[in-house]
Structures are given as structure tokens and as C-alpha cells.
Amino acid sequence: MFLREKFAERLRVLRAIKKTRQYDIATLLKVTPSQISDLENAKTTTTIEKLWLLADYFDVSIDYLVGRSDEPKK
């Protein structure tokens, strides 16, 4: 099951660790910064393609991003 709140929290934390702006993630995903804000506030979800891009960017597994695993590495 996709855990929207867990995904939102992990995206916020990973972005803070990497010191990346919402604008930078929005550019990577080809969306607006407000859409990244919505993701980080658990208001919306995203596509598998964008999950894949985020996982590669932050060097974590998709399972970690969505809360299926507590192990960040692939």
C-alpha cells in the first residue's frame, strides 16, 4: 500500500539532507514547485515514473520512498 504521509515525510527529509530546493526537484520532475509542496504535504501523489526519478536522484529505493522499507539503499 502506498503510504502518502510516509512518502511526504521522506521526500522532505531527503530534500533537506541533500540541501535541494523544491524548485530543483520540480525541474527534475517537470512539474511546478507548488506540486512538490503538495507532495511534501501529502496532498497529492505522483506517478511511478516520477518515483523512479526521485529514487535515482536521492540514491534510495522506491520501496523506501513509499514506506514499504526502512532501508534507504537499493
Side-chain angles (χ1 to χ4, degrees):
M1 172 192 277
F2 184 88
L3 301 172
R4 188 183 295 196
E5 291 78 16
K6 183 64 81 170
F7 169 69
E9 175 188 348
R10 290 193 172 166
L11 179 57
R12 269 193 317 273
V13 168
L14 288 167
R15 193 173 60 75
I17 289 169
K18 198 161 181 166
K19 297 180 178 153
T20 304
R21 300 173 301 160
Q22 286 182 341
Y23 176 84
D24 300 322
I25 300 301
T27 300
L28 171 73
L29 301 182
K30 297 180 181 161
V31 298
T32 65
S34 66
Q35 287 174 291
I36 301 305
S37 176
D38 287 347
L39 288 174
E40 291 185 356
N41 289 299
K43 292 180 181 178
T44 62
T45 61
T46 191
T47 65
I48 190 68
E49 292 85 0
K50 288 180 173 75
L51 281 174
W52 191 309
L53 286 170
L54 289 168
D56 284 350
Y57 181 80
F58 291 114
D59 194 29
V60 297
S61 69
I62 290 174
D63 283 345
Y64 177 77
L65 274 175
V66 299
R68 290 190 62 197
S69 170
D70 290 328
E71 291 295 320
K73 291 296 177 182
K74 299 177 183 177

